[in-house]
Amino acid sequence: MKLKQAITGAVAALACATAAHAQTAGTFYVTTGWFHFAPQSASDNLELLNYAGETFNQYQPNTGARIDSSDTLGLSLGYFVTDHISTEFELGIPPKFDIDGADSFGQFGKLGSAKLWSPALLVKWNFLKPTDKFRPYVGLGVTRVWFTNAQITNGAFESNVLHGGPTSVSTDRSWAPVFNAGFNYAFNKHWFAGVSISYIPVSVTANLTTTNVGPLGLTAQTQAKIRLNPIVTFAKIGYAF
């Protein structure tokens, strides 16, 4: 009987030790879940660079645009460097955002749309002990932000404001810091769930080129700087190896 109890105790101790290593140095993990992007957006006034071959470089007062919120599927890959320090790479299916008019452009409603790319690399400090089920963390990282498939879809905006059409759109690419906080809750030595919130202070410049301007069908170029500054929520479920 004593031998049986000793063996049972050893197995239980081994199971606890295995579970204890689920969040310790050398642990890899992967998560997937729901990203919610909530831009705290605003923009500078639209700047007319040139019109039909003539240079202006003039801002149009009381004009602007804003970016609506969007949702997408997210994925992250992580590794515990130590019992408390982990690194994580986050990315997701590029969400599609509607671009709406603001100020005097508000009368046009939706101006166009674009897809956002913002992969991020984070370093996190995990509080409490590796054996604790609930572990909050704070993180700091960097992201690269750019748009694809940007387009103006509002014909009234093109003809009345840009005085032509169609209009092509391009944006620059920006590096930005990521400020992150959240928590994970371990169900067992492999499965866990968590929620994180990130803030990304970032701006991009949109360049618009409109054709068929004036009776000679020339072009016009305008641009606007848009401050995105999104708050990003990531609700996820993960598996630790």
Side-chain angles (χ1 to χ4, degrees):
M1 179 65 68
K2 291 184 177 181
L3 177 60
K4 182 178 180 181
Q5 290 176 342
I7 294 174
T8 302
V11 171
L14 178 61
C16 291
T18 303
H21 284 79
Q23 300 181 77
T24 55
T27 301
F28 287 93
Y29 62 90
V30 59
T31 75
T32 186
W34 167 74
F35 268 128
H36 177 70
F37 290 81
Q40 313 301 299
S41 62
S43 73
D44 293 345
N45 291 326
L46 185 70
E47 182 182 7
L48 176 62
L49 301 178
N50 63 71
Y51 181 86
E54 185 176 353
T55 301
F56 284 86
N57 295 328
Q58 293 180 352
Y59 287 95
Q60 312 301 302
N62 195 36
T63 59
R66 62 181 182 85
I67 309 295
D68 281 347
S69 61
S70 187
D71 300 279
T72 193
L73 179 68
L75 175 70
S76 73
L77 303 171
Y79 177 73
F80 273 87
V81 181
T82 72
D83 288 352
H84 294 281
I85 298 174
S86 60
T87 60
E88 189 169 318
F89 180 66
E90 292 185 348
L91 68 163
I93 297 175
K96 184 177 181 179
F97 289 88
D98 288 339
I99 305 170
D100 296 331
D103 299 322
S104 65
F105 289 167
Q107 61 181 308
F108 297 104
K110 179 182 174 181
L111 304 181
S113 62
K115 289 185 177 180
L116 174 67
W117 298 75
S118 56
L121 180 63
L122 302 172
V123 176
K124 299 181 177 181
W125 176 265
N126 299 269
F127 297 97
L128 306 181
K129 296 180 295 183
T131 52
D132 290 331
K133 289 183 175 294
F134 176 79
R135 294 196 74 184
Y137 58 80
V138 293
L140 182 64
V142 64
T143 182
R144 180 72 164 167
V145 178
W146 73 94
F147 285 96
T148 59
N149 300 108
Q151 57 183 337
I152 298 297
T153 58
N154 191 309
F157 175 75
E158 286 181 320
S159 60
N160 291 287
V161 175
L162 304 178
H163 305 292
T167 300
S168 61
V169 184
S170 64
T171 63
D172 60 354
R173 300 187 175 208
S174 300
W175 291 100
V178 180
F179 302 96
N180 176 263
F183 68 88
N184 290 323
Y185 183 86
F187 300 111
N188 54 48
K189 67 178 182 179
H190 290 299
W191 291 99
F192 65 94
V195 175
S196 72
I197 297 178
S198 299
Y199 175 69
I200 307 173
V202 63
S203 300
V204 296
T205 299
N207 296 283
L208 290 72
T209 301
T210 305
T211 58
N212 298 325
V213 173
L216 298 180
L218 300 176
T219 63
Q221 292 183 322
T222 52
Q223 72 175 20
K225 183 177 182 181
I226 302 175
R227 293 176 292 280
L228 298 174
N229 300 340
I231 296 174
V232 184
T233 304
F234 189 21
K236 54 193 172 181
I237 187 167
Y239 185 86
F241 299 92

